[in-house]
Amino acid sequence: MNTKQILFTAPYEARLVDTELAAPGEGEVLVRTEFTAISAGTERANLVGDKNISGVREQCTEVKFPRALGYSGAGVVEQIGSRVTNVKPGDRVVISFGLHRQYNLVGQSQVHKIVHESVTSLEAAFVVIAGFSIAGIRKTRLEIGESAMVMGLGILGILAVQLCRIAGGVPVIAVDPNEARRALALQNGADHALDPTGPDFIDNVKALTYGKGVNSIIEVSGVSVALSQALDCAAPFGRVALLGCSRTPGAPIDFYHQVHYPGVTIVGANNFARPIRESSPGNWTASDDYGAILGLIAGGRLNIRPLLSAPISPEDAPDIYRHLAADPAGFPIGVAFDWRKLN
């Protein structure tokens, strides 16, 4: 079948193109896509031709195009292949690691049924992204009453702010140089919002935690200087989750004074660093995390709607990606393509 797909065809260039899909084979599911969410950091890195986009070092030695993105989406099951048991045609599903494509053909492990009727497909399109945030928080083992800090307030960071509050973080400190994003964080669960470029940033964090430092830090920016700041802000035996992708060489870290002596834990929180079949405390499967996120949205505890811009047509992809490439700091927080506009 013929379908439409967004491709990065060259550095700084996005196009809506035609492509062909086969019928679903064994264990495969064909989904009519309704919405796909833009993950700005990852997609910009791919759009501008960054080499360092894979966890496999051998795949980061040269720039190759075209590149296809769109790993967080939602839609309706159209057809299923043999041996598919978790969904049926007509089910609304979250699509994990599909593509910005009008129809997605994926393995059955990549679709997660939306059992809550109150959760809209637009909200569900951000569930995979929210799953990154919740996994990072789990890895720090945040406990009720511990202080929490989120550094970097894009979509992942704002969701992490809400989830830290849900998990019982007190106080929840949001950090970003962008004033508008700090204001948004305060509207979405942060107790305090600070500018990391301020001269007294670390002293202010220590003051907000009564001199103790922060127990649980979620570093989302991927900026090496932010990691060094996070370590300086950490409490003794604090935990720092590297949720953001650090794609550039790092600032020097004094491991003895910033990590070893205070007993700070640094943990990699890449989405793929998680179990496949069985969840355990602090380390859930993706599927279980997606179910938890859907339940939190349905229960009114996690509020995605205030973060969302009006969905855009995939036909506007060239313009929206030009905006992302030129002005990442000014790019809207929650942007999604509405594939229904092509039907």
Side-chain angles (χ1 to χ4, degrees), residues 81-119:
S82 61
R83 300 186 183 276
V84 172
T85 59
N86 59 333
V87 294
K88 64 182 185 305
D91 285 344
R92 285 194 309 134
V93 293
V94 169
I95 311 165
S96 64
F97 292 91
L99 298 170
H100 287 307
R101 193 158 60 184
Q102 190 178 14
Y103 286 83
N104 267 283
L105 182 62
V106 294
Q108 65 173 325
S109 65
Q110 294 172 257
V111 292
H112 310 270
K113 186 176 178 180
I114 303 168
V115 298
H116 307 280
E117 293 184 5
S118 61
V119 177

Side-chain angles (χ1 to χ4, degrees), residues 59-80:
Q59 296 177 0
C60 299
T61 57
E62 59 182 310
V63 177
K64 294 183 179 180
F65 281 87
R67 295 176 172 182
L69 276 295
Y71 56 73
S72 188
V76 179
V77 175
E78 286 275 301
Q79 299 178 42
I80 60 174

Side-chain angles (χ1 to χ4, degrees), residues 98-158:
L99 298 170
H100 287 307
R101 193 158 60 184
Q102 190 178 14
Y103 286 83
N104 267 283
L105 182 62
V106 294
Q108 65 173 325
S109 65
Q110 294 172 257
V111 292
H112 310 270
K113 186 176 178 180
I114 303 168
V115 298
H116 307 280
E117 293 184 5
S118 61
V119 177
T120 68
S121 294
L122 178 56
E123 291 171 312
F126 288 84
V127 162
V128 175
I129 291 176
F132 294 7
S133 300
I134 200 171
I137 295 167
R138 290 194 197 283
K139 287 178 183 291
T140 69
R141 304 294 183 97
L142 175 61
E143 294 191 12
I144 295 171
E146 287 193 310
S147 55
M149 184 166 74
V150 178
M151 303 187 71
L153 301 175
I155 185 66
L156 280 169
I158 295 291

